[in-house]
Amino acid sequence: MRHALTTRPRPYGLAASLCLGALLMGCPSQPPPPTGPNVVLIVVDTLRADALECYGGRANVSPRIDALARQGVRFQAAFAHAPWTLPSFAALFTSLPPQAHGAGGNVREGWRALGEEHTTLAERFEDKGWSTGAVVNVDFLTAPFGMTQGFDDVDARISNDNQSVRRAEPTTDAALSWIDAHRIDGQESKPFFLMVHYFDPHAEYDPPPVWRARFAEAVDKQSTAFRFGAREHVVRHRGGQMPLDAATLARARGLYDGEVAYTDNAIGRLLDGLAARGLEAGTIVVLTADHGEEFGEHGSWEHGHTHYDELLHVPLVVRAPGVAPRVVHEPVGLVDVAPTLCSLASLTPSPAFRGRDLAAALRAQSGLPPLTCLTAYGNFWGAALSSWRDAQWKLIEGGPAPQLFAWTRDLREREDRASDAAVLASARASMAACLRALGAQIVHQGPIVRPDAEALERIHDVGYTDGSDGR
């Protein structure tokens, strides 16, 4: 691992100590610390919903997340707003669709940061006195991309390749260490907001031996000779030089499932750590993902390149004080997380947020506020795609031809209904109205990101290149 870009947590209580030392000099009185729940926002990179058993995935791959889902609210139909990390996280943080927040771009034209004019979820908590921290494992979640706004402390461990990333267990260690650094004599003197980013399901798929033995295909259970998801595989596949047969994809998927199982175990240890510190009852826990991963469902592999639901359908679980366990089948988007979290913590959501506040419905176990539409935007590898869905239809635009699916019935998105001119015209009109309502009818572009030479090399070495620079 080449780089560790870290802002160390400040010794908690330092300001109070300085004030006490200056008491005779007339130090101004400090406002009382806020009261309210802690928040732990867990985001697992590249975790498609159906990788988890509670979403119909493989048996025993996710026992700790499944248990969390039984304790809280599981949203069966939750969707990301972009098929890759930067614009998806920005939508989660700002409660704005990518067309409105402007973060994203693509590998050919360059990347766009989240502008400082936007209000983030972390800023809402920071402004109200919560301690805020983030543990992240990829360049796209660091300060040059505008993604640390509102976080007092950022523990970033950025790898120079797909093999030496900080794994799930050390990520959990970092999260628990941050929590401990913000306690005095084992007690919380003010609540905290902590975002924890796990990267393991992202390629390269290389689970530790115990999870490899449980979930890999038979030929790969004891051997690490088969590697999949390294930089050279991404570049060759994008260049059309690595066609993928079903057997190869099955082997890759087995290793991916092993990574999910390993991450699930580490998340369980984070949850156990909260309980051991007496924090479980007073902490809101949210688990979700920024996007999924394709394993040949529509003829390709990896992510960033389509708006099919193997990339947009993500898990969303919320466990919160005063919210009874249930399963919600109504569709929601990641833009709904920020206003809902604010309300669950008794904070007023930012007026700039465009997602729905679901807190009252969750507490009352009632139906959610009406869904008008969900939208997604972006394509890491080229010209942007856009998509829209309501409670029945899903429209994808920007490719060679529009595609239209009755997504609640056609879960695998196999039957393209775009040849029905009347239905297509109605969907297009509804998509336009949706974007107007969100203030996203004109695509906003955030400030261009100019990574330094080392960051650019890291990004390329992970496989985020189209190969045009000869790499």
Side-chain angles (χ1 to χ4, degrees):
M1 188 174 296
R2 182 179 301 159
H3 282 272
L5 311 177
T6 307
T7 302
R8 286 293 180 192
R10 294 182 296 277
Y12 190 82
L14 178 60
S17 298
L18 292 174
C19 183
L20 181 61
L23 186 60
L24 296 178
M25 299 175 64
C27 179
S29 61
Q30 299 295 311
T35 58
N38 304 308
V39 178
V40 176
L41 173 60
I42 302 168
V43 187
V44 184
D45 210 297
T46 321
L47 179 62
R48 50 188 285 166
D50 65 4
L52 304 176
E53 185 175 0
C54 60
Y55 283 90
R58 191 169 176 175
N60 301 317
V61 75
S62 53
R64 299 307 306 269
I65 295 174
D66 297 342
L68 178 69
R70 290 191 295 272
Q71 296 164 359
V73 178
R74 172 166 59 85
F75 293 89
Q76 186 64 25
F79 298 95
H81 301 281
W84 69 282
T85 297
L86 175 57
S88 183
F89 263 92
L92 175 67
F93 286 174
T94 65
S95 189
L96 295 172
Q99 302 97 315
H101 66 57
N106 63 63
V107 72
R108 296 177 184 173
E109 299 171 355
W111 297 292
R112 300 279 178 168
L114 180 66
E116 293 182 358
E117 69 274 16
H118 295 299
T119 300
T120 68
L121 174 60
E123 285 177 311
R124 292 300 292 166
F125 280 88
E126 181 191 44
D127 289 347
K128 297 301 182 181
W130 269 248
S131 298
T132 57
V135 179
V136 303
N137 292 297
V138 69
D139 267 294
F140 292 126
L141 298 181
T142 59
F145 292 87
M147 298 300 288
T148 60
Q149 298 176 42
F151 290 111
D152 298 327
D153 307 306
V154 178
D155 182 334
R157 293 289 187 272
I158 312 301
S159 170
N160 64 306
D161 55 41
N162 281 347
Q163 291 81 48
S164 55
V165 298
R166 175 166 55 182
R167 308 215 65 162
E169 285 297 328
T171 297
T172 289
D173 291 339
L176 293 174
S177 294
W178 185 89
I179 291 171
D180 289 339
H182 289 77
R183 293 160 64 86
I184 300 175
D185 297 327
Q187 300 296 320
E188 299 298 323
S189 55
K190 68 175 182 175
F192 63 80
F193 175 96
L194 175 64
M195 194 276 288
V196 189
H197 168 242
Y198 290 90
F199 197 66
D200 295 74
H202 190 284
E204 177 175 353
Y205 318 127
D206 182 24
V210 63
W211 286 274
R212 174 183 287 269
R214 291 179 189 174
F215 296 100
E217 294 288 286
V219 67
D220 301 315
K221 286 185 181 296
Q222 304 302 325
S223 171
T224 59
F226 174 71
R227 295 176 58 238
F228 198 88
R231 176 194 175 279
E232 59 265 28
H233 301 136
V234 177
V235 174
R236 287 177 56 209
H237 178 64
R238 292 290 154 217
Q241 301 166 345
M242 194 178 77
L244 299 172
D245 57 73
T248 300
L249 286 169
R251 293 176 74 180
R253 180 62 194 264
L255 295 176
Y256 170 87
D257 286 347
E259 293 276 31
V260 172
Y262 166 61
T263 304
D264 175 81
N265 185 75
I267 290 171
R269 195 162 66 82
L270 174 61
L271 299 175
D272 290 345
L274 291 173
R277 290 160 174 79
L279 300 175
E280 181 177 74
T283 299
I284 300 169
V285 176
V286 176
L287 182 139
T288 189
D290 54 346
H291 56 76
E293 189 84 317
E294 182 183 355
F295 289 96
E297 289 85 356
H298 287 90
S300 190
W301 159 70
E302 214 226 351
H303 55 267
H305 57 286
T306 76
H307 281 212
Y308 299 120
D309 280 350
E310 57 265 22
L311 299 190
L312 296 184
H313 184 203
V314 294
L316 178 59
V317 174
V318 177
R319 186 181 74 186
V323 175
R326 64 187 285 204
V327 177
V328 172
H329 294 277
E330 299 151 275
V332 299
L334 293 189
V335 294
D336 298 329
V337 171
T340 302
L341 265 180
C342 285
S343 287
L344 288 174
S346 300
L347 302 183
T348 303
S350 167
F353 291 169
R354 290 291 175 265
R356 294 173 296 166
D357 181 354
L358 310 179
L362 296 183
R363 288 191 176 109
Q365 291 195 288
S366 61
L368 303 188
L371 172 72
T372 53
C373 65
L374 295 173
T375 184
Y377 183 82
N379 174 10
F380 185 87
W381 302 103
L385 302 168
S386 58
S387 61
W388 157 93
R389 81 179 76 217
D390 63 8
Q392 179 181 7
W393 294 102
K394 177 182 174 183
L395 173 65
I396 303 175
E397 296 269 31
Q403 293 182 292
L404 184 65
F405 302 100
W407 69 273
T408 56
R409 299 195 307 272
D410 181 15
L411 297 179
R412 295 179 180 268
E413 296 169 305
R414 299 297 190 195
E415 185 181 352
D416 185 357
R417 301 284 297 276
S419 60
D420 188 325
V423 176
L424 177 62
S426 175
R428 281 176 158 165
S430 295
M431 180 177 182
C434 169
L435 294 176
R436 285 195 300 271
L438 294 171
Q441 69 273 34
I442 298 175
V443 176
H444 173 70
Q445 290 190 322
I448 193 75
V449 180
R450 304 188 189 282
D452 62 33
E454 290 186 81
L456 189 60
E457 183 179 359
R458 288 196 305 272
I459 292 168
H460 281 303
D461 285 349
V462 176
Y464 290 144
T465 175
D466 63 357
S468 61
D469 58 359
R471 290 174 177 266

